[in-house]
Amino acid sequence: MVFILKINLNELYQKITALIPVYSKKFSISLDGSKTFLKLAIIEAIKLNPELDLTENENGFIVGDDNRIQNLINEIENWDENEFDLEDFEVIGYCKNIR
């Protein structure tokens, strides 16, 4: 039996807010820019898993198989200051004009 789980994107974001100042300094961007970058990074992680769906937009919910959602949560909880490099920032951040 497969259980479907639904989690709010902001719940995932709350797990990594300690990284906001880290990436702000690393990429020389504002704290707001760093917040935006991390939210976009979560969205990209969701998009990389075709078994998960993001409803509505960045304020929406992630819906999918319980195991896949838990794997995503574990992955994001393990992000640290080395998770993203300048190339990642350029691909994720520059396209949204983050400063």
Side-chain angles (χ1 to χ4, degrees):
M1 177 181 246
V2 175
F3 293 99
I4 301 298
L5 185 64
K6 181 175 168 180
I7 184 171
N8 185 284
L9 182 64
N10 286 324
E11 289 178 57
L12 286 178
Y13 171 72
Q14 293 302 316
K15 296 178 181 297
I16 57 169
T17 56
L19 293 174
I20 293 168
V22 172
Y23 283 108
S24 176
K25 183 176 179 181
K26 184 173 184 173
F27 299 130
S28 300
I29 57 175
S30 68
L31 291 174
D32 284 340
S34 184
K35 290 176 189 177
T36 301
F37 170 74
L38 288 169
K39 286 182 180 182
L40 292 171
I42 292 171
I43 291 169
E44 287 302 311
I46 296 164
K47 288 179 181 178
L48 290 174
N49 190 331
E51 303 295 321
L52 298 177
D53 289 315
L54 179 62
T55 62
E56 296 175 25
N57 56 30
E58 64 270 4
N59 296 317
F61 289 89
I62 304 147
V63 180
D65 173 87
D66 183 39
N67 290 332
R68 294 191 189 273
I69 295 269
Q70 191 57 54
N71 288 341
L72 177 69
I73 292 168
N74 293 341
E75 174 190 337
I76 290 171
E77 285 179 331
N78 287 315
W79 285 359
D80 63 13
E81 65 275 358
N82 298 314
E83 185 68 32
F84 302 103
D85 59 18
L86 186 57
E87 183 178 345
D88 295 322
F89 175 72
E90 290 172 347
V91 170
I92 295 170
Y94 284 174
C95 66
K96 297 292 185 179
N97 197 25
I98 293 175
R99 317 182 253 266

